[in-house]
Amino acid sequence: MNTIYPLAVPKGRRLCCEVCEAPAELVCKACMVTYYCGPVHQQADWNSIHEKICQLLIPLRTSMPFYNSEEERQHGLQQQRQRQMHLIEFCYTIAQKYIFEGKYANAVPAALHSLRFRRNLYGLSSVELVPAYLLLSEASLGMGHTVQAEEYLSQAQWTVLKSTDCSCATHSLLHRNLGLLYIAKENYDEARYHLANDIYYASCAFGTEDIRTSGGYFHLARIFYFLEKWKLADTLYTKVTEIWNKYLYDHYQVLAQARNQQIDLLGKLLETDTGLDEAQEAEAVRILTTILGIRELETDREPKKTVFVLKTLIMLFFLMNSSNARDYANRALFIAKERNFNVQEQRDLQDLLDLVSME
């Protein structure tokens, strides 16, 4: 990290901190195009996202070269646009992943990057800014900064109200974040209203049984759980698990069949991913482990529901190539034996354990 020398800055140009937009005093020595107010924000940005995109920022933040023709200029502009779009999605996904992992402070710089690139590409009032505002709101909520979260949500709402072409997916995200805000405020009536709207819009965009809709069911179940409405919470938690189980089973079957057929490429196939991006994987882990924690409290009464969540987590971690799959398989088989599941159910779990234990 290098100190900025004021005399080296062109007259009239104001250098701002990447994180807080205060006057900058330091510049990243690796890219020389990113500025900070001090070492604290530099380190925060580096830990969050800058290390991953440092060199990618150079062509975006330096003057475009001289082009010999209009065709070359248009090609250069198109490349710039593609770079910006890539960084918008990359920073957004990383910020989402941090949020699902509970690393809210780390999510903020990444979400801010996504927001700035969106502003540069789409303008200050575009509905494309809404997802970034919502990420910043959720990160703020996670850190307990309710007022800041409300400010970001207000910006998102105002942008949606001004838009004539806002998608159902964006409406879903907005209502989900409003639901989370009211959960944090313990205003469960308002939270239920917004989460019901979240489910409606997500269903319109993706379908009622899609993993992208499952988040609305999950948060609605949390409300009923808080209110001690066990049957409603149980129904929704079961639905969420079923949605993820069906999605993961389709991917898992490919690997299971490969093993059974003893395909020579099995070692390569075992590295097949989940079909999810990093943020979606983190969301699946968070949702399913939360449900598992609740189910384990009721294992004595309903062990099969606990095992069903465990089997879903086994498939998830197996597809993620994580050793956690084996641990969950052992737990599921132990419950099945302890609770005297029938022979076929125990055999199926043993087969599952054998598969995920293969190196």
Side-chain angles (χ1 to χ4, degrees):
M1 189 58 54
N2 292 342
T3 302
I4 297 171
Y5 295 99
L7 294 177
V9 180
K11 186 177 180 180
R13 184 181 179 191
R14 181 175 179 267
L15 302 180
C16 299
C17 175
E18 193 73 21
V19 177
C20 67
E21 298 189 349
E25 296 182 2
L26 302 174
V27 60
C28 173
K29 64 182 180 182
C31 65
M32 299 299 291
V33 293
T34 309
Y35 304 93
Y36 303 99
C37 62
V40 173
H41 281 178
Q42 181 273 327
Q43 192 63 47
D45 191 39
W46 182 265
N47 292 340
S48 169
I49 192 70
H50 191 72
E51 181 183 13
K52 302 175 180 67
I53 65 173
C54 182
Q55 296 303 301
L56 300 177
L57 295 174
I58 297 173
L60 287 175
R61 294 180 173 177
T62 52
S63 300
M64 292 184 68
F66 176 78
Y67 295 110
N68 293 319
S69 66
E70 177 63 17
E71 183 179 352
E72 287 183 359
R73 191 180 78 84
Q74 290 299 326
H75 179 69
L77 290 172
Q78 184 179 10
Q79 284 187 317
Q80 289 285 80
R81 180 181 175 86
Q82 289 174 343
R83 290 189 187 104
Q84 286 181 306
M85 292 178 69
H86 168 72
L87 283 171
I88 284 170
E89 292 306 316
F90 181 73
C91 294
Y92 182 81
T93 298
I94 294 298
Q96 272 190 318
K97 178 175 180 285
Y98 284 137
I99 286 173
F100 290 129
E101 292 174 346
K103 300 175 181 176
Y104 301 109
N106 281 358
V108 172
L112 285 171
H113 274 285
S114 183
L115 178 60
R116 290 194 191 97
F117 290 130
R118 289 169 190 268
R119 284 174 175 168
N120 291 339
L121 191 60
Y122 301 112
L124 296 175
S125 59
S126 171
V127 73
E128 295 290 342
L129 274 59
V130 171
Y133 284 136
L134 297 178
L135 275 184
L136 288 164
S137 171
E138 193 168 352
S140 298
L141 268 182
M143 293 186 290
H145 302 161
T146 306
V147 174
Q148 181 68 70
E150 288 182 294
E151 289 179 6
Y152 284 126
L153 274 173
S154 294
Q155 289 176 297
Q157 280 186 292
W158 179 241
T159 304
V160 167
L161 285 172
K162 290 189 297 180
S163 173
T164 57
D165 59 349
C166 187
S167 68
C168 286
T170 300
H171 276 292
S172 167
L173 285 175
L174 176 59
H175 282 290
R176 184 169 304 179
N177 277 267
L178 286 165
L180 293 175
L181 173 66
Y182 285 111
I183 288 175
K185 290 182 165 186
E186 298 185 3
N187 184 340
Y188 296 128
D189 287 337
E190 279 295 315
R192 278 187 291 180
Y193 167 78
H194 286 293
L195 289 171
N197 276 284
D198 163 28
I199 293 167
Y200 168 75
Y201 283 113
S203 298
C204 291
F206 312 115
T208 57
E209 306 299 314
D210 192 274
I211 57 172
R212 288 164 290 189
T213 308
S214 70
Y217 297 128
F218 172 71
H219 292 300
L220 194 56
R222 286 175 59 209
I223 293 175
F224 291 128
Y225 186 78
F226 295 152
L227 296 174
E228 299 185 1
K229 296 183 178 181
W230 310 120
K231 288 187 178 181
L232 289 171
D234 176 78
T235 299
L236 289 168
Y237 281 137
T238 299
K239 184 173 184 64
V240 172
T241 310
E242 288 173 345
I243 289 172
W244 278 102
N245 184 278
K246 182 179 183 302
Y247 173 85
L248 293 166
Y249 184 75
D250 292 341
H251 289 73
Y252 163 80
Q253 274 293 91
V254 175
L255 302 187
Q257 289 171 7
R259 175 197 182 245
N260 292 334
Q261 295 169 11
Q262 296 183 338
I263 294 177
D264 292 338
L265 294 177
L266 180 59
K268 183 176 181 181
L269 287 170
L270 284 173
E271 297 177 1
T272 301
D273 64 27
T274 57
L276 307 170
D277 62 32
E278 289 182 81
Q280 290 171 319
E281 287 182 353
E283 180 184 22
V285 170
R286 179 182 181 181
I287 284 176
L288 292 170
T289 53
T290 299
I291 294 174
L292 177 62
I294 292 168
R295 291 297 187 212
E296 285 183 324
L297 296 175
E298 302 175 347
T299 298
D300 289 342
R301 190 164 57 88
E302 297 185 288
K304 291 193 176 182
K305 289 186 177 181
T306 302
V307 170
F308 184 57
V309 183
L310 283 167
K311 288 172 69 174
T312 308
L313 278 163
I314 293 164
M315 290 188 289
L316 173 63
F317 283 117
F318 177 57
L319 292 167
M320 291 171 63
N321 201 25
S322 168
S323 61
N324 286 334
R326 186 168 57 253
D327 297 334
Y328 283 119
N330 277 313
R331 286 167 64 179
L333 185 57
F334 175 79
I335 293 173
K337 291 178 177 179
E338 186 181 50
R339 301 297 170 187
N340 295 319
F341 283 26
N342 66 46
V343 174
Q344 186 59 51
E345 289 172 322
Q346 292 189 41
R347 185 178 295 126
D348 289 344
L349 287 169
Q350 183 63 60
D351 289 342
L352 187 57
L353 174 60
D354 293 341
L355 176 63
V356 301
S357 297
M358 290 182 64
E359 295 183 0

